[in-house]
């Protein structure tokens, strides 16, 4: 039986994480946020977010999921 413990919050993003996240989102802004007929599929966007996650986690205070980003 699973324990009924409350879910704990992750630590706030530190300065290094924030810098990497902003840098990477700006680098991939067109792909992530473009509208219209030429926009990326959900799968393509997910791959980019995974790439960004791999760039953020080395400087992260705790491991981040794509949903955290």
């Amino acid at each position: 039986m699973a324990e009924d413990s409350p879910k704990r919050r992750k630590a706030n993003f530190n300065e290094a994480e924030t810098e990497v996240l902003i840098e990477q989102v700006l680098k991939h802004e067109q792909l992530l946020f473009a509208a219209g007929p030429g926009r990326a599929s959900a799968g393509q966007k997910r791959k980019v977010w995974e790439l960004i996650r791999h760039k953020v986690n080395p400087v992260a205070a705790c491991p981040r999921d794509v949903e955290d980003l």
Side-chain angles (χ1 to χ4, degrees), residues 5-69:
S5 61
K7 190 172 181 178
R8 296 190 53 119
R9 286 184 59 228
K10 290 188 178 181
N12 291 340
F13 281 75
N14 63 35
E15 188 174 331
E17 288 173 281
T18 303
E19 287 178 14
V20 172
L21 180 59
I22 291 170
E23 174 187 299
Q24 291 299 310
V25 168
L26 290 175
K27 181 178 178 181
H28 300 286
E29 180 178 17
Q30 186 64 33
L31 185 76
L32 293 172
F33 304 112
R39 69 178 183 222
S41 70
Q44 290 170 318
K45 290 179 183 182
R46 180 72 183 197
K47 286 180 184 177
V48 172
W49 283 114
E50 285 291 340
L51 175 83
I52 294 171
R53 182 179 67 87
H54 286 292
K55 301 276 185 169
V56 170
N57 274 338
V59 297
C62 62
R64 304 289 183 183
D65 299 329
V66 168
E67 291 76 20
D68 297 333
L69 302 177

